[in-house]
């Protein structure tokens, strides 16, 4: 809803990180927005998989999370996430961050 509210109209949703990998293998995307905590495959595993095995290895990945564990967040950064946005956030924050990632 927030992405639609800030003007992003073409959105593909995945119910899990594993489903996201399947989508990334068959479609082209400009940006991935993910959470750290997801079923089947967390955001760290998703990011690592994209960076290691995907044909879209350089796609910007924005992780939105309430995760506070610094070692987990450091692992996500090391895996290659492009940016991390802490929950809760204002729509303007995500709009600016997405704009920076895509430009």
């Amino acid at each position: 809803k927030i992405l639609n509210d800030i003007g992003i109209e073409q959105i593909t949703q995945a119910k899990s990180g594993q489903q996201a990998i399947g989508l990334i293998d068959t479609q082209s995307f400009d940006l991935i927005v993910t959470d750290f905590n997801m079923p089947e495959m967390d955001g760290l595993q998703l990011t690592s998989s994209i960076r290691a095995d995907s044909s879209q290895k350089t796609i910007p990945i924005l992780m939105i999370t309430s995760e506070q564990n610094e070692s987990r967040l450091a692992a996500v950064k090391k895996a290659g996430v492009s940016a991390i946005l802490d929950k809760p956030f204002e729509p303007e924050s995500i709009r600016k961050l997405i704009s920076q990632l895509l430009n």
Side-chain angles (χ1 to χ4, degrees):
K1 181 177 176 349
I2 291 173
L3 294 175
N4 284 137
D5 290 348
I6 64 170
I8 297 174
E9 297 174 358
Q10 292 183 336
I11 299 171
T12 302
Q13 292 183 335
K15 294 180 191 222
S16 68
Q18 194 64 47
Q19 184 184 21
I21 291 296
L23 291 168
I24 293 164
D25 287 344
T26 61
Q27 298 178 43
S28 181
F29 295 95
D30 296 319
L31 171 71
I32 294 174
V33 179
T34 186
D35 198 332
F36 184 91
N37 297 303
M38 298 182 296
E40 298 176 23
M41 174 185 277
D42 67 22
L44 171 58
Q45 295 166 319
L46 174 62
T47 300
S48 296
S49 179
I50 292 168
R51 296 300 187 230
D53 302 322
S54 171
S55 62
Q56 299 181 66
K57 291 179 182 183
T58 60
I59 189 170
I61 301 172
L62 170 57
M63 184 167 296
I64 300 173
T65 186
S66 58
E67 181 64 52
Q68 297 298 313
N69 183 307
E70 287 300 321
S71 64
R72 288 176 138 187
L73 293 173
V76 168
K77 290 175 186 174
K78 186 176 179 181
V81 75
S82 306
I84 297 173
L85 183 62
D86 294 325
K87 292 179 191 176
F89 58 87
E90 296 295 321
E92 185 61 19
S93 299
I94 195 168
R95 188 193 66 73
K96 284 182 181 178
L97 197 50
I98 289 172
S99 179
Q100 289 171 356
L101 290 172
L102 294 178
N103 291 321

